[in-house]
Amino acid sequence: MNPTLPNPAPIQQPQPNPTPVQPPASAGGRPKGMFAGRLNRIGYLLSVVCILAYFLILVGLVFLLRGTAVSNILAFLFGAVGVIACIPIGLSISIRRWHDMNQSGWMVLLGLIPFVGWFLWIVYLFVPGTKTANNYGEIDNRPFSIGKGLFGK
């Protein structure tokens, strides 16, 4: 009797993954976050007007209720909240305005140079953004809303 050896199993080569893992896309193909995306000139202007309106209403309420301790406390609280909220919101609208001009958001640091910050307001309001898609996304054709202007949503 002749002993036979079992046939060895063929060696299998590793198969490439047919579906590569991709990072999750944001809703609507737009980048996520408060500092991502673009903001056109009108959106920038309306965002600044919204911020100014908040403080003008606050000043008006202080004048209406002047002299009472409650009005002083409320003015301080709403003023502090407004100032603290204006820091990230102001950075957001400025960075997204630079993105609309196809520039890095780091250009916002130019505003720290004395007298240049005032010149940047003219740039933000009068220099048009790119007419087509750029490195920071497509043109956002949605109508202006406070959420879109201030928070990029």
Side-chain angles (χ1 to χ4, degrees):
M1 193 164 161
N2 219 354
T4 58
L5 297 174
N7 289 339
I11 300 175
Q12 295 182 350
Q13 297 294 327
Q15 298 293 324
N17 189 358
T19 55
V21 177
Q22 295 183 2
S26 61
R30 287 187 284 276
K32 291 183 179 180
M34 188 172 175
F35 300 101
R38 299 169 61 169
L39 185 66
N40 59 19
R41 292 178 287 180
I42 297 297
Y44 179 80
L45 178 65
L46 293 175
S47 298
V48 170
V49 167
C50 287
I51 292 170
L52 291 176
Y54 174 83
F55 286 105
L56 287 176
I57 290 170
L58 179 64
V59 168
L61 289 175
V62 167
F63 277 119
L64 285 174
L65 303 172
R66 65 180 171 257
T68 64
V70 173
S71 69
N72 292 338
I73 292 171
L74 288 176
F76 176 77
L77 290 177
F78 283 108
V81 167
V83 168
I84 291 170
C86 278
I87 294 169
I89 291 172
L91 283 173
S92 171
I93 63 175
S94 298
I95 287 171
R96 289 183 291 130
R97 186 67 193 107
W98 280 113
H99 287 176
D100 191 48
M101 295 181 279
N102 204 22
Q103 299 292 324
S104 170
W106 289 102
M107 295 289 282
V108 79
L109 294 177
L110 289 174
L112 297 176
I113 301 171
F115 302 107
V116 174
W118 292 100
F119 176 72
L120 287 180
W121 280 61
I122 296 170
V123 170
Y124 292 150
L125 291 174
F126 295 108
V127 175
T130 56
K131 301 287 184 212
T132 59
N134 64 21
N135 297 336
Y136 301 98
E138 299 285 331
I139 294 177
D140 192 359
N141 291 324
R142 296 177 295 162
F144 179 79
S145 69
I146 293 175
K148 173 190 165 190
L150 298 180
F151 307 110
K153 299 189 188 288

